[in-house]
Amino acid sequence: MRGRGRRVSADRASTEFSEFFERHHAGLSRLAFLLTGEPDAADDLAADAMVVLWQRWPEVSRTGSPLAYARGTVANLARERIRAAVRERRRIRLFWARGAEPSHGPDIACGVAVTAALKRLPFRKRACVVMRYAFDMPEREVAQVLGVSVGTVKSQTSRGVAELRRQLDATDAEQLVARSSR
């Protein structure tokens, strides 16, 4: 009799996770893209996060906020990927003694310019701006996902937007903020 109860529980957990995956994988992939700026890595990071969630699903599903846990996992994986990429670029530069990579000209589309500007932000500022504006997440939820205080989210978001404004044309930055607050 005990074996049957575990089987039913495992089947229910599998069904719950499958439903969660179907509902949230695309959004997690979008989050990964906006955090890393790498379209090829976005699906991989979202899938890696889902593997972590699946391995811990019984505990994660009981938290009451599995989506926040998933977003935090994506953010952590993205941070690790960015750090690894930065280390690799440094190694390549040292090896080849190349100069800086060429920058994009002013004729690049707004979306590309914003993505490039986001890449230049430090990770925490980028994460706060992306989660607040691209995902319309409340400050409290961003704080929970990143494991920081609400005040930190507010200051990092404000500073991140200010840096984006400095990097982009004033009109492009205003359009970004206006579009995201609709």
Side-chain angles (χ1 to χ4, degrees):
M1 192 80 142
R2 281 187 187 170
R4 180 183 283 176
R6 287 186 190 144
R7 176 77 175 162
V8 170
S9 178
D11 288 345
R12 193 177 93 225
S14 179
T15 301
E16 286 175 5
F17 180 79
S18 294
E19 290 170 0
F20 179 86
F21 181 93
E22 290 298 323
R23 257 191 331 268
H24 300 293
H25 182 266
L28 294 173
S29 181
R30 187 170 149 234
L31 173 62
F33 169 71
L34 290 171
L35 291 176
T36 63
E38 299 177 27
D40 297 335
D43 281 334
D44 291 343
L45 289 172
D48 290 347
M50 287 296 191
V51 168
V52 170
L53 262 65
W54 172 245
Q55 291 170 341
R56 300 177 184 156
W57 186 249
E59 298 87 33
V60 171
S61 64
R62 285 193 300 265
T63 65
S65 187
L67 182 57
Y69 188 92
R71 286 175 173 161
T73 302
V74 168
N76 288 334
L77 292 171
R79 180 183 305 119
E80 290 170 15
R81 182 175 184 85
I82 291 166
R83 286 179 179 164
V86 167
R87 285 191 302 271
E88 183 64 20
R89 280 194 295 267
R90 285 181 185 152
R91 281 189 219 111
I92 290 170
R93 276 193 206 126
L94 286 173
F95 183 76
W96 292 104
R98 287 187 185 171
E101 295 177 14
S103 62
H104 300 289
D107 60 335
I108 304 293
C110 180
V112 174
V114 169
T115 301
L118 280 169
K119 280 183 176 180
R120 289 190 292 267
L121 288 179
F123 182 81
R124 187 177 287 168
K125 287 179 187 172
R126 181 183 331 149
C128 288
V129 169
V130 165
M131 289 182 195
R132 288 284 294 131
Y133 291 111
F135 285 85
D136 200 28
M137 291 170 58
E139 291 163 341
R140 177 169 276 128
E141 188 175 345
V142 174
Q144 180 185 10
V145 167
L146 296 177
V148 297
S149 71
V150 172
T152 299
V153 171
K154 288 179 181 181
S155 67
Q156 293 294 296
T157 302
S158 174
R159 291 176 185 158
V161 169
E163 285 183 39
L164 285 174
R165 282 190 176 119
R166 282 192 295 272
Q167 291 180 31
L168 301 169
D169 289 340
T171 56
D172 289 344
E174 293 303 330
Q175 288 174 354
L176 168 68
V177 172
R179 262 187 260 141
S180 61
S181 49
R182 287 181 198 168

